[in-house]
Amino acid sequence: MSFLEVIKTRARNNKKTIVLPETTDLRTLKAAHIILQEELANIILIGNKDAIISKAEGLDLAAAEIVDPQVFEDMEKYIAALVELRKGKGMTYDKAKELLYSDPLFLGVMMVKEQKADGMVAGAINSTANVLRPSLQILKTAPNTKLVSSFFVMVVPDCDMGSQGIFVFSDAGLNQNPNAEELAAIAQSSAGSFKQLVGDEPVVAMLSHSTYGSSKHVDVDKVVEATKLAKQMAPGLKIDGELQLDAAIVREVGQAKAPGSEVAGYANVLVFPDLDAGNIGYKLVQRLAKAEAYGPVTQGIAKPVNDLSRGCSVEDIVGVVAITAVQAQ
């Protein structure tokens, strides 16, 4: 089976509840139809029931739960919970009430917080900042995690590198220019995400334009320091750097440039030094190698909330919901 089929099977076998707050977007409703048909997850839709049913004409959303903020019976409980969570930041009853009635993203995240849902997927019509803001304010970061970051699962056809052509690219969607400590945290989170979603042992390469000191620059120093910190944080993890891309994934090159490394030539988790490199890298592989790119998937939030690209397709939403359901397991 393909990577996505494996993820879908895992989602079906331990079904979770995912909230989709962007019900004014037809792609979201079409995705909900497919998700319910394929039994990938239970779905909660936020919005006016009549408006949703009207927009979803021809789609079968009978199995979805539709939550209309105007008549939601638990709204007072959610308002009180939000006030309690954010009172140190000046949250009042009136502010919480306005947020939860007017912003489906905040209501969706509160459903995850209150365990009505296991995760949330949004971003088809909202910016990354708008999707992540309530997540960070309400759910906060996962235990022992210093940083929220993102990754793409890249599935490269006819490829014997990585894990049978499967890689995690990180961070390719969120952190602009992480420092050494942040880069180490991204590496640790990415290794965990690879293990969770792909199932194989993560082999992590800290990427640079230099391998083992072949170039001297402050950017190289950052990656060297990040590698050192990551090894201290996770002593059992296979991780090495700094490595050039070819040394990280091509065995002959890895043996020549980094002899003795257990990572060089075998990496399946690629940690890029900054967002420019990560974003350019994943799009190059997607377009030139015809790779499937799943993401950006968020890691490091206490419960799974994932941000879609605003150019996403219906199939993209279905895939991210399946991944989010597996993350929630």
Side-chain angles (χ1 to χ4, degrees), residues 113-150:
K113 179 68 175 178
E114 295 297 307
Q115 300 182 13
K116 182 176 177 64
D118 300 297
M120 185 179 87
V121 173
I125 56 173
N126 281 282
S127 68
T128 297
N130 285 345
V131 173
L132 294 185
R133 186 178 301 110
S135 308
L136 295 175
Q137 290 181 2
I138 294 167
L139 299 173
K140 307 188 187 306
T141 55
N144 302 315
T145 302
K146 296 181 179 180
L147 183 73
V148 174
S149 57
S150 74

Side-chain angles (χ1 to χ4, degrees), residues 249-320:
I249 65 173
V250 182
R251 289 171 193 176
E252 314 86 79
V253 179
Q255 289 167 5
K257 291 187 173 184
S261 171
E262 63 178 352
V263 171
Y266 296 92
N268 49 34
V269 177
L270 304 181
V271 179
F272 292 83
D274 58 38
L275 186 58
D276 285 339
N279 195 267
I280 292 166
Y282 105 76
K283 289 185 177 178
L284 271 173
V285 174
Q286 180 186 31
R287 299 302 179 182
L288 298 185
K290 310 297 183 187
E292 300 167 27
Y294 299 101
V297 182
T298 308
Q299 57 188 4
I301 301 175
K303 293 187 178 182
V305 173
N306 279 314
D307 172 46
L308 299 160
S309 163
R310 276 174 281 181
C312 65
S313 66
V314 172
E315 292 74 20
D316 291 335
I317 300 173
V318 173
V320 173

Side-chain angles (χ1 to χ4, degrees), residues 19-24 45-48 67-70 72 75 78-79 82 91 94-112 120-123 125-135 137-138 305:
V19 58
L20 300 176
E22 296 173 316
T23 54
T24 59
L45 301 171
I46 298 177
N48 177 269
V67 172
D68 183 344
Q70 302 305 318
F72 183 41
M75 191 62 91
Y78 280 31
I79 293 169
L82 181 56
M91 183 62 69
D94 288 341
K95 287 180 182 177
K97 182 177 181 180
E98 181 183 359
L99 265 180
L100 293 178
Y101 274 98
S102 64
D103 191 334
L105 297 174
F106 270 88
L107 180 55
V109 171
M110 281 301 298
M111 287 181 179
V112 178
M120 185 179 87
V121 173
I125 56 173
N126 281 282
S127 68
T128 297
N130 285 345
V131 173
L132 294 185
R133 186 178 301 110
S135 308
Q137 290 181 2
I138 294 167
V305 173

Side-chain angles (χ1 to χ4, degrees), residues 190-217:
S190 300
S193 294
F194 183 89
K195 180 67 175 176
Q196 180 185 47
L197 294 178
V198 181
D200 291 341
E201 181 183 14
V203 182
V204 184
M206 307 296 282
L207 297 181
S208 173
H209 68 274
S210 168
T211 297
Y212 279 19
S214 64
S215 177
K216 303 296 182 185
H217 193 274

